[in-house]
């Protein structure tokens, strides 16, 4: 006998005990940085730094990746397959609240780069002096001959003019090397462009602050200027033609390593053009939990041997690649390429705009395979400090790089949550406010939809994902009311609301 109720329809939920809802701003469970992917000498050092400074290992490890990218950026590329090559520079940012000793960690990790820079300057000094002296003497000689030509007559004048022109051309042809520079700190966009041009296409901006974002946003110019930061990541040709200067960089390689406060990430998402032009999609993000309040006071110092090995290896890697004008080409083994292909095949469906787990950050996630290839090359070079360009990247190294890709993907999802990139989260917040304002105990989907903004919820289908998210967080319980008759349209779904929502109202 038919009872008037579809057996698939649920009765109204009984008044059960409600647990405390989980805030929508609640933190994702994020993995710790997998420092085991580093070669032993580097893994031991970042672990020791984290222990002594009582900071998340993510901080030291993220900076370590930036250091490796500084050492090799602009001097090595990885050949993936076909015409696909990736440079080995990276943009990495680690976000931690104040009092997390970011500056101390930065100093420990970057000191060897400054030492390598000093050694490069010392080695280049004689060549700079010689070239500068040659150019100066040639110019002085040209000026002297030109002065004589002023008072000469006839054929002698023509002879002296020709000689002066030749000497002037010689002086002009002398190329005076610039003093080597590896690192810059919070320079303007124009300065970064000039420095990259002077330094043969390579530069790193490393800072324990986030001031570079303000500069890109136009602190000094009044308008965003991100061209060098966009092209410096991809290695795209950069040409500057202005009245005051002309600079040409065929393959710029800019590395950025930053440690910022989490609020900086929230602020940069609001800067016009940062997301639309893809700047935010170029960064690898790390968002570790702060240890402040849980730190040990007395800690083990970093072993002297670990410090010495780290300094020696970073300096050796930097110096060994510094003289390369055409970049060293790192090849993948067939097994490494197959591992990367399998990873790409796993990621690709997740990029779908509808239903893809990474669809709302597809601009970022679409670049993660390239980032994995870059990191594989960096791990490979760190493992083979002197001979990396003579050996292919192994499958094991590629799998380690893929582990890093998965780590940064998890953290990127959390960071873009902070930035408000997921429309479902934004709509869920708007829906939550409407529920609080309504003061309902129980409401139908249809009635609820009438109270919502059409700009936020164009149709009722847009309500469902947001409601499902609120249900996951314990704010409501969806159910299908019983049918009261055998004909007509089934009743609209309804929501039983958490009592706390009525208390707020």
């Amino acid at each position: 006998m038919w009872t008037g109720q579809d057996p698939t329809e649920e009765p109204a939920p009984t008044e059960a005990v409600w647990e405390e809802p989980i805030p929508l701003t609640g933190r994702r469970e994020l993995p710790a940085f997998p420092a085991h992917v580093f070669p032993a000498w580097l893994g031991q050092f970042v672990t020791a730094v984290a222990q002594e400074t009582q900071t998340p290992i993510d901080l030291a490890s993220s900076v370590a990746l930036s250091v490796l990218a500084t050492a090799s950026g602009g001097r090595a590329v990885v050949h993936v397959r076909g015409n696909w090559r990736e440079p080995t520079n990276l943009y990495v940012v680690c976000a931690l609240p104040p009092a997390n000793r970011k500056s101390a960690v930065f100093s420990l990790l970057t000191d060897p780069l400054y030492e390598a820079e000093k050694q490069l300057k010392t080695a280049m000094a004689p060549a700079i002096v010689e070239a500068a002296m040659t150019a100066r003497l040639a110019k002085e000689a040209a000026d002297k001959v030109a002065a004589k030509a002023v008072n000469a007559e006839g054929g002698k004048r023509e002879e002296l003019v020709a000689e002066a022109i030749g000497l002037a051309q010689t002086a002009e042809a002398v190329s005076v090397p610039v003093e080597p520079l590896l690192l810059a700190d919070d320079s303007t966009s124009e300065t970064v462009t000039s420095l990259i041009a002077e330094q043969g296409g390579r530069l790193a901006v490393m800072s324990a602050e986030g001031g570079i974002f303000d500069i890109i946003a136009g602190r000094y110019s009044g308008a965003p200027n991100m061209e060098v930061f966009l092209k410096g990541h991809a290695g795209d040709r950069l040409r500057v033609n202005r009245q005051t200067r002309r600079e040409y960089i065929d393959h710029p390689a800019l590395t950025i390593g930053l440690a910022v406060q989490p609020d900086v990430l929230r602020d940069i998402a609001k800067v016009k053009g940062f997301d639309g032009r893809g700047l935010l999609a170029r960064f690898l993000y790390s968002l570790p939990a702060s240890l402040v309040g849980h730190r040990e006071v007395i800690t083990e110092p970093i072993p002297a041997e670990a410090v010495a090995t780290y300094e020696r290896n970073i300096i050796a890697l930097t110096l060994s690649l510094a003289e390369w004008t055409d970049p060293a080409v790192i090849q993948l083994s067939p097994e490494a390429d197959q591992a990367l292909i399998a990873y790409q095949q796993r990621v690709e469906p997740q990029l779908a705009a509808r239903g893809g787990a990474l669809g709302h950050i597809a601009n970022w996630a679409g670049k993660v395979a390239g980032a994995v290839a870059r990191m594989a090359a960096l791990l490979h070079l760190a493992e083979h400090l002197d001979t990396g360009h003579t050996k292919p990247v192994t499958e094991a190294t590629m799998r380690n790089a893929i582990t890093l890709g998965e780590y940064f993907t998890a953290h990127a999802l959390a960071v873009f949550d902070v930035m408000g990139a997921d429309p479902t989260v934004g709509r869920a917040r708007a829906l939550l406010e409407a529920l609080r304002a309504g003061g309902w105990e129980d409401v139908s989907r249809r009635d609820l939809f009438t109270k919502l903004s059409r700009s936020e919820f164009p149709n009722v289908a847009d309500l469902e994902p947001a409601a499902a998210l609120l249900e996951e967080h314990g704010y409501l319980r969806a159910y299908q009311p019983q049918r009261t008759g055998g004909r007509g349209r089934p009743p609209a779904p309804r929501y039983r609301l958490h009592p706390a929502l009525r208390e707020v109202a």
Side-chain angles (χ1 to χ4, degrees), residues 217-236:
R219 177 199 291 171
Y220 302 116
S221 62
N225 184 356
M226 62 188 80
E227 199 71 16
V228 66
F229 299 98
L230 296 174
K231 294 186 174 181
H233 179 272
D236 294 336

Side-chain angles (χ1 to χ4, degrees), residues 192-258:
V192 169
T193 303
S194 296
L195 290 175
I196 292 179
E198 290 175 358
Q199 298 299 321
R202 76 183 303 191
L203 188 70
V205 175
M206 303 280 282
S207 176
E209 302 292 341
I212 189 67
F213 288 123
D214 291 335
I215 292 170
I216 299 171
R219 177 199 291 171
Y220 302 116
S221 62
N225 184 356
M226 62 188 80
E227 199 71 16
V228 66
F229 299 98
L230 296 174
K231 294 186 174 181
H233 179 272
D236 294 336
R237 183 175 289 108
L238 178 63
R239 299 204 168 194
V240 178
N241 292 294
R242 296 178 182 163
Q243 289 184 343
T244 56
R245 61 190 172 96
R246 291 187 178 183
E247 293 165 335
Y248 306 98
I249 312 165
D250 285 336
H251 300 289
L254 178 63
T255 287
I256 300 179
L258 304 174

